[in-house]
Amino acid sequence: MGNCLVAQSGGPTAVINASLAGVIRANQLNPAYGRVFGGIHGIEGVLEDKLYDLTELSGREIDLLKQTPSSALGTCRYKLKRGNDTDFARLVEVMDLHDIDVMFYIGGNDSMDTVDALSEWAEAHGVTKRFVGIPKTVDNDLVPVDHCPGFPSAAKLACQVTHATSLDYDAYTRPEVFVLETMGRDAGWLAASCCVSGDVDLLVLPEVDFDREAFLAQVQKKMDEKGSCYIVVSEGAHYADGTYISAGDTADDGFAHAVLGGAALTLKQMIVDAGIAPRGVVQDLSRAARSSNFAQSLVDVTEAYELGMSAHMRSADGEFTGKVVGVRRGVGPDGGYNAEYFAGPASEFANFVKEFPAEWVLPDYQGITDEALAYFRPLIEGEPKLIYEGGLPATIEPFNLR
Amino acid sequence: MGNCLVAQSGGPTAVINASLAGVIRANQLNPAYGRVFGGIHGIEGVLEDKLYDLTELSGREIDLLKQTPSSALGTCRYKLKRGNDTDFARLVEVMDLHDIDVMFYIGGNDSMDTVDALSEWAEAHGVTKRFVGIPKTVDNDLVPVDHCPGFPSAAKLACQVTHATSLDYDAYTRPEVFVLETMGRDAGWLAASCCVSGDVDLLVLPEVDFDREAFLAQVQKKMDEKGSCYIVVSEGAHYADGTYISAGDTADDGFAHAVLGGAALTLKQMIVDAGIAPRGVVQDLSRAARSSNFAQSLVDVTEAYELGMSAHMRSADGEFTGKVVGVRRGVGPDGGYNAEYFAGPASEFANFVKEFPAEWVLPDYQGITDEALAYFRPLIEGEPKLIYEGGLPATIEPFNLR
């Protein structure tokens, strides 16, 4: 009996470890693989033969893993490039060394491309190793799934912070604007989801080229109408020429992506400089949104866990490679939301960006349509019963630090 | 039977409405006052005769009020100044207009000073109105209480975000620093409380004059030792000459307090400029920490509610004026934490700042002592069972917006 390998890549989420837990637990329920190895720091650590044996995790550890945010195996931003035969051969060498037949890779667009590239390479070189993807990303920008694990919990936290800070803002009489910034480089899903709280006056998305004058006119209008204006902006919001609103820090994150942040501060200053409000308050959700365990969506953590199980179970089929598992939106007997699991070619998940639909965006920064709200609402439903220790949600010690 | 008035002032918290709920509920259990009026936007609205009748709030509304963050009556930063006879006389006029005998004021240092000044003024002018204070502040800087309602919930959220973002940070291999900024103008209680999570490498408090070289040496040491450094800084941290680390935005908040923010960004840049790490991640907790309902401490919400009840019940004594209710730390039969309620002169609460004790601070920015940890731990214990609607904690519509 061969072994399997699981690794995590890209930005952490609140439930990426639930997918890891799903793979481990599935193998305990049906030991299709002798050992379940975790790759430390994604492909980067695997190439260095850094593995951790996860096979015998206890039920308690599985429960804690499900409620531990971030990537318990550690993550990386190293991308295996097509044509890099040295890396590919080295990976197969490490897999051979530990009798590993199948590698599960939990990640976003880039990782799904890696799954695609590896399976292609293996087939072309007569290598029988198989590669399976499990999606995650707070950005929610993967096709062809309904949504990506990690996003619903980030959206739930974003909505909670939106409502709480909006109440805080509304308690004052002084004229000022409030600007909340969320992650979202190319797609505004997370920023748009804040509208579910019902508190957003103006929404600035990467999908709509930013028009300074039109935006300021709307801020002025809200201030005139009700003396306040609660704004949500996605970090990736930009002008028509592609210049980010947050033109400041453009350091590289090692993946040829610009590092963003500062859009909210820029908008606040723009409004103050235009004389529309004498001051403003800025809140940047940043990392706090993507890796919270205290605001997991039950729908999200359940689906992430079950996607891990689904990947493991489907991999019993010796032909199952270059595939990614995902969730489609079905309709339950009560007419409500129902998750339907499927698997599709990794090539369909990789290197595409699913933008927030243009037809769901209201004009003049006024937020999103009812159809969009109906899309978001079921995703943030439910709260898992967390295990607390000392007043804080208990977590498992990350494997990459052991 | 006369009436009473409740108002809220200063920065909102996660449980200031629980104190309001306590006053209202106490009067339902024992209707010592005919009506319970809420003053809209603190003393500012009261002077304009803006009141809202809270007497008949339903049990469901009381429950929702307890879990609604921010100030449901609206708040203000207007301070009644000693010697301002016009304002004092106007307040009494409004109270007379509504047959109000007692005013409960929920707030921080400044509000407790207002309670003191009003009761003094009333006595000096032969006015029989009475004034009672109920403390709140996320800054936790009031004497002579063990702690201030609102602080434990802010600390609980701060600890949760610290741990979650620390796990997120630890998932990476790339060399960078992480800097979390908390509120805390003059006292570093909230920043210090983050150490309970066990993740803080270096702590920068307002109580210790900032020494750039000594601090950078410690960052270098942590980076050398383990390749990472998680830093928490209080917004009010400053150099020996009083200059804030965040020398940037110094707009006034209307209360002659400098508006802070930006200490984390400044520290990050300082570290990068010194060549200790090529980059850093900044997270500003800001408003999200003080007004969260999704991370209320059960100890905190219970105490805030009971302080509201205690203030109402004690006010049955016609001599009870110029007093503030508070919590002292007692020892329960199991040797653990036990809240003890008391009342003291408002003058003892007003205009003093209880700094984080110097003897609880470890040298070289290394965090806090075991004694300090033992102080914080019981305060963040327990999670109230929140009522959720649509995946979000339900809240009551603020009275100032009705």
Side-chain angles (χ1 to χ4, degrees), chain B residues 6 43 54 74 77 111 244 252 298 300 310 315:
Chain B
V6 201
I43 212 78
L54 302 162
R77 288 203 164 272
S111 310
Y244 288 115
D252 195 275
L298 184 60
D300 194 23
S310 175
S315 74

Side-chain angles (χ1 to χ4, degrees), chain A residues 328-368:
Chain A
R328 284 202 193 103
R329 187 175 298 230
V331 179
D334 60 351
Y337 173 85
N338 186 51
E340 290 175 2
Y341 296 85
F342 75 101
S347 56
E348 291 181 12
F349 289 75
N351 299 322
F352 295 103
V353 170
K354 187 170 72 174
E355 293 189 344
F356 188 75
E359 64 271 24
W360 283 3
V361 182
L362 292 174
D364 297 330
Y365 307 99
Q366 301 295 308
I368 59 176

